[in-house]
Amino acid sequence: MRKQREQMLQNSSPEPVVIPQKRPLLAWALLCTLALVWGSSFILIKRSLGAFPPEQVAGGRLLFALLFFLPFMGTQSRQAEVRTSVQHRWVALLASGIIGFVIPAFLFAEAGAHLNSSLAGALNSLSPLFTLILGAVFFGQALKIRQVAGILLGLAGSLLLVFFSATGSFQVNGYALLVVLATICYGLNTNLIGRYLSHLPALVSTAWLFAFAGPIALLTLTPTDFFVRVFNPANSWSLAALVTLGVFGSGLMSIFFNRVMQLSSPLFAASVTYLIPIVALGWGMLDGETIYLVQFAGMGVCLLGIWLINKS
C-alpha cells in the first residue's frame, strides 16, 4: 500500500514548468533582414524617382503601406477593446502618423533626388541621437555623461556629412539637412509613442498610425498623375521599387522590429542602427556613387556616437 501511495503521488505531481527560451538565431535572422530592407530603402527611393517625382514617391510609399495594413485594421476594428483604445488616442495617433511617417517620407524623397543613397543612409543613423536629445529636453528623461559624449560625437559626424556630402569639399548641403530634419521627426515620434501609445500592442499602434497617415498621402496624390504613372507599363520597375518601399520598408519591417525586441531586447533591436549605413553604403558603391574619405570619417564618428548612447 505504501508503494501504491508513493506511485500515486508521483503520478499526480504537477508537470515541470517549461520556461520559453529566447531564440537568438531567429532574432539575428530578423535583424539582418531589417538591416537589408531598411538599408536598401534609400536605393529604392532612388529607383522610384526614375518614374515618379519626389512628392509621389512619398505619398505612394505611405499609400502602399496603408494597403498592407488594411487587413489587420479590418480584424482589429471588430475588437471592442481596440476600438476604444484607438478612439481615446486618436490625437496621438494622428500626430505620430504625421510626424513619424508623413513628414519624413516627403523629406527623404526630396533629399533622395539630390543625395547619394549611401549618405542618406548614414545620416539616417542619427535617429537614436535625436530621440535621446528630445527625450531629455521635452520629456524629462535623464542623460548620462557618456550619452552626452555620444550626442556631441554624433552631431560632429553629422556636421561632417552635411558640409561635405556633395562633392567632398567644404560646402553646406541643404538636402542633407532635410535628412537631418527627418531624423529629428523620428526622434520626436519615438518619444510620442513611448509617452502616449506604449499601452497599445505594436501591431495595433503601427496599423492605426498608417490609418491616419495613408489618407493624408492619398489626398496629396489625387490631384497628380500618380495613378496614370502607376498603370504605365514603362514604369514597372520604378513601381516595383515603390511598392517594395511601402509594403516591406514601412509595413512588414515595422512588425519585424517589434518581434526582434520580443525575442531579444530593445538594445539588440536598436543595433540595426549600425547595420543600415553599411547596407546603404554597399548599395551606393554598387550603383557607382562616389564616397569621399571625409564622408567615411563622418559616418564613423556618427556610429561611434550612437554606440556610446546605446552602450549598456
Side-chain angles (χ1 to χ4, degrees):
M1 290 295 292
R2 181 179 179 183
K3 290 184 178 179
Q4 290 178 347
R5 285 196 300 269
E6 289 177 352
Q7 187 175 4
M8 290 177 61
L9 287 172
Q10 290 175 357
N11 291 337
S12 63
S13 61
E15 295 182 358
V17 177
V18 178
I19 301 174
Q21 299 294 319
K22 298 287 186 180
R23 287 177 279 180
L25 289 179
L26 179 58
W28 273 107
L30 292 177
L31 186 79
C32 292
T33 304
L34 275 169
L36 181 61
V37 175
W38 279 348
S40 303
S41 296
F42 310 98
I43 195 69
L44 289 172
I45 290 175
K46 189 174 181 179
R47 290 291 175 263
S48 302
L49 289 166
F52 300 93
E55 64 275 9
Q56 292 185 9
V57 170
R61 174 183 187 173
L62 297 171
L63 179 61
F64 288 124
L66 171 64
L67 295 176
F68 172 80
F69 279 111
L70 278 179
F72 298 102
M73 286 184 282
T75 302
Q76 294 166 3
S77 62
R78 292 192 290 269
Q79 301 173 13
E81 184 179 352
V82 172
R83 287 201 308 270
T84 302
S85 298
V86 170
Q87 290 170 357
H88 289 170
R89 289 289 186 270
W90 72 269
V91 174
L93 287 166
L94 176 61
S96 182
I98 293 173
I99 295 171
F101 292 94
V102 176
I103 296 176
F106 282 88
L107 291 174
F108 271 114
E110 186 63 36
H114 303 89
L115 280 183
N116 286 347
S117 57
S118 54
L119 295 174
L123 284 167
N124 182 68
S125 66
L126 295 173
S127 299
L129 183 149
F130 287 115
T131 298
L132 195 65
I133 294 175
L134 294 172
V137 174
F138 296 107
F139 294 88
Q141 297 180 6
L143 288 178
K144 298 179 180 179
I145 295 178
R146 60 173 172 73
Q147 292 176 322
V148 174
I151 289 172
L152 295 176
L153 279 174
L155 290 176
S158 65
L159 287 176
L160 283 175
L161 292 173
V162 167
F163 286 106
F164 291 91
S165 62
T167 62
S169 58
F170 183 83
Q171 63 179 35
V172 179
N173 192 314
Y175 295 105
L177 292 174
L178 294 181
V179 179
V180 174
L181 182 57
T183 61
I184 293 174
C185 290
Y186 284 153
L188 178 58
N189 183 55
T190 300
N191 284 288
L192 286 175
I193 290 175
R195 176 64 63 87
Y196 300 108
L197 299 174
S198 59
H199 69 290
L200 291 175
L203 181 57
V204 172
S205 60
T206 306
W208 287 96
L209 285 173
F210 281 101
F212 287 95
I216 296 174
L218 182 59
L219 287 175
T220 66
L221 293 172
T222 302
T224 70
D225 62 346
F226 173 76
F227 296 101
V228 175
R229 294 173 185 259
V230 164
F231 292 104
N232 185 345
N235 299 332
S236 57
W237 283 108
S238 293
L239 176 62
L242 186 57
V243 172
T244 303
L245 189 64
V247 172
F248 289 91
S250 297
L252 187 60
M253 292 305 107
S254 300
I255 302 174
F256 276 25
F257 183 77
N258 293 316
R259 183 59 177 151
V260 170
M261 286 195 291
Q262 293 173 349
L263 291 171
S264 54
S265 68
L267 184 62
F268 179 79
S271 63
V272 74
T273 305
Y274 311 114
L275 302 177
I276 289 174
I278 297 173
V279 176
L281 178 62
W283 277 116
M285 295 177 69
L286 289 174
D287 200 45
E289 297 178 353
T290 302
I291 310 297
Y292 299 96
L293 182 60
V294 68
Q295 296 166 349
F296 279 110
M299 294 179 199
V301 173
C302 281
L303 292 178
L304 178 59
I306 301 302
W307 177 78
L308 282 175
I309 288 172
N310 288 322
K311 185 175 181 295
S312 59

